[in-house]
Amino acid sequence: MWIFGVIAIVVYGAGIWKFWKGYKQTNFQPGFTNRVALSLLWPVLLITNKSYRQNFQKALKGR
């Protein structure tokens, strides 16, 4: 069962990393605080916010 926890942590970390690297491609305000908050909250915002989903896709795809 611990393997699911490890997988979840890896996926969460990968999401943070990919969003962080592609943040400049999004429409969000530049700034360290915004970048950190939006990166850490990506799973919740991805589920609940359509605009965030669109920007998250931009960050992941780099366009």
Side-chain angles (χ1 to χ4, degrees), residues 14-30:
I16 290 172
W17 179 258
K18 292 288 282 183
F19 185 76
W20 186 271
K21 297 298 278 183
Y23 187 81
K24 292 179 182 177
Q25 304 301 324
T26 68
N27 298 330
F28 297 126
Q29 292 287 330

Side-chain angles (χ1 to χ4, degrees), residues 6-49:
V6 171
I7 292 170
I9 290 170
V10 168
V11 169
Y12 180 67
I16 290 172
W17 179 258
K18 292 288 282 183
F19 185 76
W20 186 271
K21 297 298 278 183
Y23 187 81
K24 292 179 182 177
Q25 304 301 324
T26 68
N27 298 330
F28 297 126
Q29 292 287 330
F32 184 75
T33 306
N34 282 344
R35 196 173 192 173
V36 169
L38 293 171
S39 295
L40 292 175
L41 294 172
W42 77 264
V44 174
L45 293 171
L46 195 65
I47 293 169
T48 61
N49 191 304

